[in-house]
Amino acid sequence: MQPWALVSPASRGIGLELARRLLQTTKVPIVATARKDLDQTRENVLRGLDDVDEGRLQVLKVDVLDEQSIADAASTTSSTFPKKTSYLHLALAIPGILYPEKSPSQIDYDNALRTFQTNTLGPMMLLKHFSPFLPRKATTLSELENLPSHAVWANMSARVGSITDNGLGGWYSYRASKAAVNQVTKTFDNHLKTSAGENAMAISLHPGTVKTDFSREFWGNVKEEKLFSPEFSAEKLLEVVRSRQVGDRGKFFDWKGEEVPP
């Protein structure tokens, strides 16, 4: 059986660096996605990776606001990685946008709707169309270098999605959408218990505050030692994924591997 990995999206920021690091540290083929500029995304992922087999990288068009694009990408993937001879070993679902409402009066309906469509429905649609590639109970998994012994579906969440940890308020739509992501993760993991047993699990991840365009507006509010490069964040997140055990399934972890309360 041929294992492979999914990074969606991988056009910039954390996703780009996750795809690059997987190419550098593992031997599995990578399916990366981008909403546009597929050739540029491919070039960015491969830049400087002279020792990497470029044939391991496939870049497909996916817009998480367009379910048909996700279905089409999954259909294309099934031709490259037939379910009878291959399986999805690692999926990193990381779409996200942020409109930082500081008070209820700043909540905009259209922005809030787009937040949920991207941050919550995005991962849901990805798992709808790509989770069938995950192993089943009867699948014999391969032993892989620098990857977990079982398949992992990881949804990108955020610490502000923790209801328990919410001591500041604000960011209504973003907090709510990420809390919903954690519920999606738990619910999906319950499904995997039945379909895959211990061969596959789902977790949520908090990457910390990463120095990307996504968080640019908030760099000044974060201590320098708590503001991470995308490269550092990708390295730490993959360490967390690799070190998860079956007892960690359905839970939410930060970049240090510490559990974040729901």
Side-chain angles (χ1 to χ4, degrees):
M1 297 285 281
Q2 170 65 68
W4 55 279
L6 170 70
V7 183
S8 183
S11 51
R12 58 181 179 172
I14 300 174
L16 173 64
E17 294 305 327
L18 284 168
R20 286 172 55 80
R21 188 152 191 88
L22 284 172
L23 283 171
Q24 290 174 286
T25 61
T26 77
K27 293 183 171 63
V28 298
I30 312 295
V31 174
T33 78
R35 185 167 53 87
K36 58 182 181 179
D37 301 329
L38 303 190
D39 290 342
Q40 185 63 57
T41 296
R42 180 178 179 82
E43 180 180 327
N44 291 343
V45 172
L46 293 172
R47 182 173 293 125
L49 305 184
D50 299 330
D51 296 331
V52 166
D53 176 8
E54 296 184 6
R56 286 172 51 205
L57 176 65
Q58 182 178 19
V59 181
L60 301 178
K61 182 177 181 179
V62 164
D63 181 348
V64 295
L65 300 181
D66 176 10
E67 184 182 357
Q68 189 58 52
S69 75
I70 303 174
D72 291 344
S75 177
T76 299
T77 301
S78 66
S79 298
T80 309
F81 300 109
K83 295 171 189 173
K84 290 184 178 181
T85 58
S86 58
Y87 70 93
L88 175 57
H89 194 88
L90 173 61
L92 299 163
I94 54 181
I97 58 170
L98 166 63
Y99 297 100
E101 314 100 340
K102 295 180 181 179
S103 68
S105 64
Q106 293 181 330
I107 301 172
D108 177 85
Y109 182 91
D110 290 336
N111 288 346
L113 178 61
R114 186 177 179 87
T115 297
F116 277 91
Q117 287 175 321
T118 303
N119 296 358
T120 308
L121 286 174
M124 285 177 67
M125 293 300 101
L126 286 170
L127 68 85
K128 173 184 176 180
H129 293 284
F130 279 93
S131 66
F133 293 101
L134 288 167
R136 309 287 293 183
K137 284 182 178 178
T139 305
T140 300
L141 304 187
S142 303
E143 292 187 13
L144 301 170
E145 183 179 3
N146 292 323
L147 285 172
S149 58
H150 43 264
V152 174
W153 184 288
N155 289 322
M156 194 66 72
S157 186
R159 186 177 294 277
V160 296
S162 167
I163 296 172
T164 304
D165 194 61
N166 184 0
L168 296 176
W171 293 24
Y172 290 83
S173 59
Y174 187 73
R175 284 183 184 275
S177 70
K178 289 301 188 178
V181 166
N182 297 333
Q183 181 68 282
V184 169
T185 296
K186 177 63 175 178
T187 303
F188 180 49
D189 186 71
N190 286 335
H191 167 78
L192 290 178
K193 288 179 182 178
T194 301
S195 65
E198 295 188 358
N199 275 347
M201 60 186 281
I203 59 173
S204 292
L205 296 173
H206 167 58
T209 302
V210 184
K211 203 169 185 179
T212 64
D213 289 341
F214 180 88
S215 63
R216 182 180 298 276
E217 183 180 344
F218 315 106
W219 292 356
N221 301 326
V222 181
K223 294 180 180 180
E224 186 62 31
E225 66 270 19
K226 295 292 186 179
L227 186 58
F228 306 141
S229 69
E231 294 87 350
F232 176 84
S233 180
E235 177 185 357
K236 290 299 181 180
L237 290 175
L238 289 177
E239 286 179 4
V240 173
V241 169
R242 283 197 300 268
S243 61
R244 293 311 89 189
Q245 304 299 317
V246 174
D248 296 325
R249 62 184 314 148
K251 297 178 181 179
F252 177 20
F253 298 94
D254 68 10
W255 60 276
K256 293 177 290 185
E258 296 179 357
E259 184 178 353
V260 181

